[in-house]
Amino acid sequence: MRPFINLTILAIETSCDDTGVTLIKVNKKKLSKIKVLSNLISSQIKIHQKYGGVYPFLAKREHQKNLPLLFKKAKKEAKNPKIDLVAVTVGPGLEPCLWVGVNFVKDLAKKLNLSIIPIDHIEAHIYANFINIDSKAELKNIFPALCLITSGGHTQLILARDFGKYKILGETRDDAAGECFDKIARMLGLGYPGGPAIEKEAFRVQDKEYRIKITLPRPMMYQKNYDFSFSGLKTAALYHWNSQKPKIRKSKEYLRVMAAEVQQAVIDVLIHKTLKAAKEYKVKTIILGGGVSANKELRKQLKRKIKKELKTASYQAPNTKYSTDNALMIATTAYLKWLKGEKGKDWKKITVNANLRIENGI
Ligand code: KG4
Ligand code: ZN
């Protein structure tokens, strides 16, 4: 048996409203189980709740405040290991937020003479599915894969022909699915983030007969492309809400029926397009990722549909605790890249790309 040759990776994530710091220990020669030394996340939910969304400059300030504290805490938790390599999200995301993480690791890399592996946030959402992977064989068998990455900032259908080889088949032309949940939840007075709140209300409808019936559109569902549009759904929900008497629209029943219909409309469109693309490109695996992949109903219905309609394709959804933003998915992606020969860059060469597209590479 080959010995375990250590590599300690520090990963930082600050692309949106979560500050993430992770330290992992891995075998530098061959893919084997990742040892998580520390995995910390500091969420800004309470701050952004007031506004019903993320304000980039407010988020930047919070990252600046939290990142050094989290780093100190992570090092302590991991018993002060010698860091060998650094990974950081360089895009896509909110530019002022991305710079906080990138500048932090540049300083550190300069001080400790370390290389930096720049990471694409969307690619990391894909490999959040493989945090527990422990052999190369598992990764070999998944391609070609179709990845549905759906979060607060993105909704994309990506064809992964191999590790590092991507093509965006379609994406949202306006709001992302998570953003649609967040905006509708705000209208309904459910707070931020909207996705989990809508899921909770929708769940209460199960098996119950309500008098209120709401039917919302499934935008672009039957169009021939793989693009999405969720802003029309948000507007339709708003019109419906405005057309109701305050007594009705403030009722629990209305809230629940609306939440369930919004959730189902989003799920219907996502699943329809995903299955269509999976059939066209004859993929081996369908991979779910991004904050919206924490939605239990989406996971359940997608799994069921794949089993029924795509007998040969397998299905991967991340552990729900790794669906939303975290630094462990950044560390995992860096490790997989390292094993493919990426040894990191000099700190001077690292920059931010807020509009990074997975198919173009970093
Ligand atoms: O990936 P993520 O943490 O951040 C971005 O990269 O955008 O995703 C956050 C998004 C939010 O819009 C949130 O409402 C949504 O994911 N989300 C959910 C659920 N949990 C988080 N949407 C639906 N159901 C959930 N359980
Ligand atoms: Zn994300």
Side-chain angles (χ1 to χ4, degrees):
M1 216 172 81
R2 274 152 86 184
F4 191 97
I5 308 162
N6 284 342
L7 179 79
T8 300
I9 307 176
L10 163 75
I12 305 278
E13 156 65 41
T14 62
S15 70
C16 190
D17 60 339
D18 293 304
T19 320
V21 177
T22 293
L23 275 159
I24 62 170
K25 192 159 95 178
V26 289
N27 185 336
K28 85 196 273 186
K29 293 275 184 208
K30 125 180 198 276
L31 186 57
S32 47
K33 210 159 179 52
I34 292 171
K35 284 185 194 161
V36 181
L37 305 177
S38 176
N39 181 31
L40 302 175
I41 189 102
S42 168
S43 159
Q44 304 176 6
I45 285 176
K46 283 217 172 72
I47 291 148
H48 300 294
Q49 227 157 23
K50 266 197 278 188
Y51 307 97
V54 181
Y55 274 75
F57 285 93
L58 205 61
K60 174 191 163 183
R61 216 177 59 195
E62 286 304 303
H63 285 309
Q64 280 172 327
K65 206 169 76 189
N66 292 330
L67 188 50
L69 300 176
L70 279 194
F71 177 56
K72 214 168 148 188
K73 199 169 158 199
K75 271 198 307 187
K76 197 171 164 203
E77 241 184 54
K79 304 200 168 62
N80 258 313
K82 182 182 128 334
I83 299 166
D84 302 307
L85 184 69
V86 188
V88 66
T89 307
V90 294
L94 303 170
E95 180 147 358
C97 299
L98 288 162
W99 273 117
V100 179
V102 167
N103 281 332
F104 187 86
V105 302
K106 273 168 165 281
D107 274 355
L108 197 76
K110 189 178 166 189
K111 233 188 282 165
L112 303 180
N113 196 22
L114 297 171
S115 299
I116 302 173
I117 298 191
I119 300 290
D120 179 320
H121 183 83
I122 302 291
E123 192 177 15
H125 271 307
I126 298 176
Y127 297 106
N129 277 279
F130 302 99
I131 286 169
N132 291 319
I133 199 165
D134 57 12
S135 95
K136 259 187 192 152
E138 283 174 69
L139 204 61
K140 230 184 196 162
N141 289 330
I142 64 166
F143 301 111
L146 179 72
C147 315
L148 170 65
I149 305 303
T150 176
S151 67
H154 296 88
T155 295
Q156 291 185 329
L157 265 175
I158 301 158
L159 178 66
R161 292 192 199 279
D162 202 346
F163 183 78
K165 276 198 186 149
Y166 310 103
K167 183 176 168 26
I168 300 172
L169 302 178
E171 63 195 311
T172 185
R173 293 187 181 172
D174 40 60
D175 293 353
E179 190 179 358
C180 173
F181 284 140
D182 294 338
K183 288 178 175 169
I184 295 176
R186 190 178 176 195
M187 169 188 94
L188 296 172
L190 289 174
Y192 177 85
I198 295 229
E199 175 171 26
K200 201 167 140 205
E201 291 305 321
F203 185 74
R204 296 192 160 123
V205 172
Q206 278 193 346
D207 305 326
K208 286 200 191 82
E209 264 303 316
Y210 285 117
R211 274 165 303 145
I212 296 173
K213 302 268 179 258
I214 303 174
T215 309
L216 296 172
R218 270 66 177 154
M220 294 183 74
M221 183 145 115
Y222 294 108
Q223 284 190 14
K224 279 195 179 124
N225 51 58
Y226 292 118
D227 282 345
F228 303 95
S229 163
F230 292 107
S231 87
L233 176 62
K234 172 196 67 192
T235 312
L238 184 66
Y239 276 157
H240 194 281
W241 192 81
N242 276 332
S243 72
Q244 303 298 305
K245 292 195 177 96
K247 203 180 138 201
I248 302 273
R249 69 185 190 206
K250 290 217 167 96
S251 68
K252 274 190 188 149
E253 183 175 337
Y254 182 85
L255 199 74
R256 290 172 188 177
V257 174
M258 176 58 96
E261 176 61 6
V262 168
Q263 180 176 270
Q264 196 54 51
V266 171
I267 290 176
D268 284 348
V269 182
L270 291 178
I271 292 185
H272 184 84
K273 296 233 163 174
T274 303
L275 263 87
K276 194 170 158 229
K279 284 175 195 165
E280 185 182 335
Y281 291 92
K282 299 187 176 56
V283 297
K284 273 196 198 159
T285 322
I286 294 172
I287 297 175
L288 194 59
V292 179
S293 75
N295 189 280
K296 291 188 195 68
E297 208 44 46
L298 170 64
R299 296 163 78 100
K300 192 172 87 186
Q301 292 186 30
L302 182 58
K303 190 174 175 185
R304 203 190 293 146
K305 225 26 206 277
I306 291 169
K307 208 169 162 200
K308 199 169 146 213
E309 291 187 28
L310 281 166
K311 302 225 156 34
T312 55
S314 67
Y315 163 69
Q316 280 279 348
N319 183 323
T320 50
K321 68 178 176 210
Y322 304 130
S323 285
T324 45
D325 292 350
N326 63 87
L328 186 50
M329 69 183 192
I330 308 300
T332 303
T333 310
Y335 178 38
L336 296 176
K337 280 175 164 255
W338 166 274
L339 291 173
K340 286 269 172 192
E342 154 98 63
K343 295 295 176 244
K345 291 192 171 83
D346 187 89
W347 64 268
K348 289 189 213 88
K349 295 200 174 115
I350 302 291
T351 187
V352 156
N353 182 357
N355 301 314
L356 188 62
R357 291 175 69 73
I358 194 170
E359 59 190 9
N360 298 337
I362 292 170

